[in-house]
Amino acid sequence: LQKAAIYRYSGNSWHLITDTVTLRIGAVVALQNGDSWFSGYSSSGEAKMYHLNGNTIEVTSLLGVSNITAMSFPDHAHGWAIGIKTGSLVTQTIRFQGGSWVTEFAAPSNQTLLSLSSSTQNSGWAVGKDASNAGITYHFDGVSWSPGPGTSEGLRAVHHPDVNHAYAVGSNSVYTLAVNVWAQEPLNAGQLLVAVSFPSPGTGWVG
């Protein structure tokens, strides 16, 4: 596995932080004050987390996890990731709290979690698809993950900007959470939608 590099943008230029990361990076989250997370998998098939805090890099190996495909941090002390169990295709949520990562919830074997987003430490959404390509959703209420309303097509990405709003995208549609139902708005973009970002409720981008 080739080594990866981490760069940081400061002011008006990019600066190399390190080019010795033995990791294929799959997700990046940047917080304030130089606090950033990088995740993915190594040549040994073991998922790793790189935590960049200022100019200090901390590396954590996640036992029993072969890859990290998505991350979300509502603040510096709390975060979630989607990981793949080693030796299987089972996806699961992993929670960062108290300075360590702990496995929380594993989706059924006929479901695949693809994206998650958290607005606070007490509210998050994870989305994906089942074996028939129908959309699946799970909501975190501060204690546990529970099934949410489904959709007619698999969901590829979700953004949860605040506790009252969530947005997701399927193949050709945008979904808005309203009264515990994902309201579908066909976009007919002619290509797959794989990303969504709403910096504020009612204003956002998909692509």
Side-chain angles (χ1 to χ4, degrees), residues 24-79:
R24 180 162 291 178
I25 295 174
V28 177
V29 171
L31 304 171
Q32 294 179 338
N33 301 323
D35 191 5
S36 305
W37 290 87
F38 302 80
S39 66
Y41 64 95
S42 65
S43 57
S44 64
E46 182 180 64
K48 291 186 177 183
M49 290 285 188
Y50 277 69
H51 181 205
L52 177 62
N53 189 0
N55 291 316
T56 302
I57 297 179
E58 303 168 347
V59 184
T60 301
S61 296
L62 300 179
L63 299 179
V65 182
S66 63
N67 195 10
I68 297 294
T69 58
M71 284 193 300
S72 178
F73 278 75
D75 56 51
H76 294 271
H78 304 88

